Amino acid sequence: MAELVEIDAADDPRLADYRDLRDVELRKHLEAEHGLFLAEGEKVVRRAVLGGYAPRSFLMAPRWLDGLSDVLDRSDAPCYVLSEALAEQVTGFHVHRGALASLERRPLPSLDEVLDGARSVLVLENLVDHANIGAIIRSGAALGFDAVLLAPRCADPLYRRAIKVAMGAVFSLPWTRLPDWYDALPALSARGFTTVALTLAPDAVPVDQAVAGLDRVALVLGSEGHGLSARWEESADRRAIIPMAAGIDSLNVAAATAVACYVTARR
Amino acid sequence: MAELVEIDAADDPRLADYRDLRDVELRKHLEAEHGLFLAEGEKVVRRAVLGGYAPRSFLMAPRWLDGLSDVLDRSDAPCYVLSEALAEQVTGFHVHRGALASLERRPLPSLDEVLDGARSVLVLENLVDHANIGAIIRSGAALGFDAVLLAPRCADPLYRRAIKVAMGAVFSLPWTRLPDWYDALPALSARGFTTVALTLAPDAVPVDQAVAGLDRVALVLGSEGHGLSARWEESADRRAIIPMAAGIDSLNVAAATAVACYVTARR
């Protein structure tokens, strides 16, 4: 059972994990250095704990205690209880969903672990927007994908906003970082995946044709602004496009991913 | 040719349209009362003008003048030229994409005008998030939809963030507000559309089956938090679901819309 600790000062040093949540740069450093991440909202906090992440502490206003009692019952971490006004002072914003938890990061799984038994995987190159990362992982999980692989420069799936947009799917869908950018796609081909890059390249075929009948598929998506690098575009086994109306240049990357996952799941 | 007007004070009254762009509530009132909206970024500003919206004025740092010279050449509106530091003082944020324009809103078209010749339309109930509205309109445009109809409580597609996420598709894809919420779907049925509501209702069938072979289709999407109202869910001709992996409750509404549009475009 988590110990309930009443807090009456915003500068209480025990709240260090929860400071200034709107300051993205500060949070990135703090979370990396201390090996922690934040989950926000009753549903997402529960999913993080069920997903096997160990809580360092919880922070919430009294009225959220009941809703999370099942989670608190089985944890030994302290639960800091404070007024909503005080919570806002600490975090820098109004905590709509009421409950926060700070959890321990875990070592990233190896590529072998993540790909074991996988038939459909998403491979993301340099997606820097946390909301896009979260939306893509949520879509991948909902549409039956088995894993997500992130190029070294992709945004952190355990950043608070990514977790929130993913509705906690980052805790259930296996993911890891690719150790090597340059040969990432040939390495997947060597493991028996057909790598299918979504792109506007001239030799791209409609995505349903590109994935038809394939066994193991790796769908490859590029960054928001510039799409895939030339290296990844060229080193993919196939190039595919989502057919679009005349005069429209592109779909948002999260929308394109949802469509491509849907089509690929039905190959 | 737009007259270039150099500005050297952040409180210059001619910049009234551009004040405090991050203050959502203030902007809503200001834009509604003055019948204006803001477009941001060279590409989006150009699309607004090509879409037939009359500029009230432009605002930009000197280095953006060349890129928009084609647009400025054919406008009589003033172009306020100021330093990036001054622009940031006026708008309240760093103007990444450099160019802003204030444009006149137009009377919303009638339902008859928007539906004239339309075969595939999106109908949105109470979507309150500007980014979702923008993403959905962008996907609808890209995937060949003909129009978007908004329930009275939906967020404004001409709000700056919606326009930005839509990459200007709000200027090319016809849209309007539904005059009546309660009978909106039966009214569309009476016009020859089969209304297909995306929902988790027990009688929902996979979306590809729901739209197969239909002529005129209206895809109906509900709000981010609670989905469709009971009234809309029940008054739709059909209920459809995007099949999802076990244990996952839903896709993000923008992702679900992209998938449903893709499937419907291929019915």
Side-chain angles (χ1 to χ4, degrees):
Chain A
M1 166 81 202
E3 186 197 357
L4 303 186
V5 181
E6 283 194 35
I7 300 283
D8 53 17
D11 61 356
D12 192 309
R14 291 171 292 187
L15 306 187
D17 286 4
Y18 300 95
R19 300 258 170 246
D20 301 321
L21 297 186
R22 298 188 76 163
D23 186 332
V24 178
E25 289 309 314
L26 178 144
R27 293 301 308 182
K28 280 186 192 167
H29 293 301
L30 185 151
E31 297 185 9
E33 284 171 11
H34 294 274
L36 64 91
F37 69 94
L38 270 265
E40 180 185 5
E42 182 183 315
K43 196 182 280 192
V44 167
V45 167
R46 181 177 292 104
R47 287 179 182 171
V49 173
L50 292 177
Y53 288 90
R56 292 159 60 96
S57 64
F58 303 90
L59 179 150
M60 63 192 76
R63 67 183 174 113
W64 299 99
L65 287 168
D66 275 358
L68 271 170
S69 60
D70 58 320
V71 174
L72 296 174
D73 276 351
R74 60 163 116 174
S75 173
D76 295 324
C79 177
Y80 303 121
V81 183
L82 72 188
S83 69
E84 300 189 31
L86 213 50
E88 189 167 341
Q89 276 183 54
V90 174
T91 61
F93 71 106
H94 182 66
V95 184
H96 292 288
R97 292 181 180 74
L100 290 165
S102 171
L103 301 110
E104 303 280 357
R105 288 176 185 256
R106 294 187 300 206
L108 289 178
S110 69
L111 212 48
D112 283 338
E113 289 172 78
V114 165
L115 293 179
D116 183 36
R119 262 193 88 228
S120 306
V121 306
L122 282 164
V123 192
L124 310 181
E125 187 186 27
N126 303 352
L127 277 150
V128 297
D129 182 275
H130 290 112
N132 280 336
I133 291 282
I136 286 170
I137 292 180
R138 183 175 175 187
S139 290
L143 295 167
F145 270 60
D146 303 307
V148 178
L149 307 178
L150 305 166
R153 288 188 187 167
C154 277
D156 176 12
L158 292 182
Y159 190 74
R160 185 174 56 94
R161 176 140 175 77
I163 293 174
K164 191 168 152 183
V165 173
M167 290 295 290
V170 291
F171 307 130
S172 54
L173 187 63
W175 61 269
T176 196
R177 293 267 169 195
L178 290 160
D180 171 41
W181 166 78
Y182 189 81
D183 278 322
L185 302 192
L188 284 167
S189 304
R191 289 167 178 269
F193 286 89
T194 301
T195 55
V196 178
L198 280 196
T199 150
L200 303 174
D203 66 342
V205 300
V207 63
D208 55 332
Q209 295 173 31
V211 300
L214 292 178
D215 180 20
R216 308 183 92 187
V217 175
L219 269 186
V220 183
L221 282 297
S223 76
E224 294 89 356
H226 303 285
L228 286 169
S229 66
R231 169 63 189 168
W232 274 35
E233 188 166 282
E234 287 157 14
S235 63
D237 297 314
R238 301 181 183 186
R239 277 149 294 283
I241 191 170
I242 296 170
M244 278 176 276
I248 305 283
D249 43 7
S250 72
L251 281 163
N252 163 288
V253 66
T257 304
V259 170
C261 287
Y262 175 89
V263 171
T264 301
R266 279 153 194 75
R267 64 189 181 270
Chain B
M1 166 82 203
E3 186 197 355
L4 303 186
V5 181
E6 283 194 37
I7 300 283
D8 54 17
D11 61 357
D12 191 308
R14 291 171 291 187
L15 306 187
D17 287 4
Y18 301 94
R19 299 258 170 246
D20 301 321
L21 296 184
R22 298 188 77 162
D23 185 333
V24 178
E25 290 309 315
L26 178 143
R27 293 300 308 182
K28 280 186 191 168
H29 293 302
L30 184 152
E31 297 186 8
E33 284 171 10
H34 294 273
L36 64 90
F37 69 94
L38 269 265
E40 180 185 4
E42 182 184 315
K43 196 182 277 191
V44 168
V45 167
R46 181 177 291 105
R47 287 178 183 172
V49 173
L50 292 177
Y53 289 91
R56 293 159 59 96
S57 64
F58 303 90
L59 179 150
M60 63 192 76
R63 67 183 173 112
W64 299 98
L65 286 167
D66 275 358
L68 272 170
S69 60
D70 57 321
V71 174
L72 297 174
D73 275 352
R74 59 163 115 177
S75 173
D76 295 325
C79 177
Y80 303 121
V81 183
L82 72 187
S83 68
E84 298 187 34
L86 213 51
E88 188 166 342
Q89 276 183 53
V90 174
T91 61
F93 70 106
H94 183 65
V95 184
H96 292 288
R97 292 182 181 73
L100 289 165
S102 171
L103 301 109
E104 302 280 359
R105 287 175 185 258
R106 296 186 299 205
L108 289 178
S110 68
L111 212 48
D112 283 338
E113 288 172 78
V114 165
L115 293 179
D116 184 36
R119 263 193 88 228
S120 306
V121 306
L122 283 165
V123 192
L124 310 181
E125 186 186 28
N126 304 350
L127 277 150
V128 296
D129 182 276
H130 290 113
N132 280 337
I133 291 281
I136 286 171
I137 293 179
R138 182 175 175 187
S139 289
L143 294 167
F145 270 59
D146 303 307
V148 178
L149 307 178
L150 305 166
R153 288 187 187 168
C154 278
D156 176 12
L158 292 183
Y159 189 76
R160 185 174 56 93
R161 176 139 174 79
I163 293 174
K164 191 168 154 184
V165 173
M167 289 295 291
V170 291
F171 308 129
S172 54
L173 187 63
W175 60 269
T176 196
R177 293 265 170 197
L178 290 160
D180 171 41
W181 167 78
Y182 189 80
D183 279 323
L185 302 192
L188 284 167
S189 304
R191 288 168 178 268
F193 285 89
T194 301
T195 55
V196 179
L198 280 196
T199 152
L200 303 174
D203 66 343
V205 300
V207 63
D208 54 333
Q209 294 173 32
V211 300
L214 292 177
D215 179 20
R216 307 182 93 186
V217 174
L219 270 186
V220 183
L221 282 297
S223 77
E224 294 89 356
H226 303 286
L228 286 170
S229 66
R231 169 62 190 167
W232 275 36
E233 188 166 282
E234 288 156 13
S235 62
D237 297 315
R238 301 181 183 187
R239 277 149 292 284
I241 191 170
I242 295 170
M244 277 175 275
I248 305 283
D249 44 7
S250 73
L251 282 163
N252 164 288
V253 66
T257 304
V259 170
C261 286
Y262 175 87
V263 171
T264 302
R266 279 153 194 76
R267 65 188 180 272

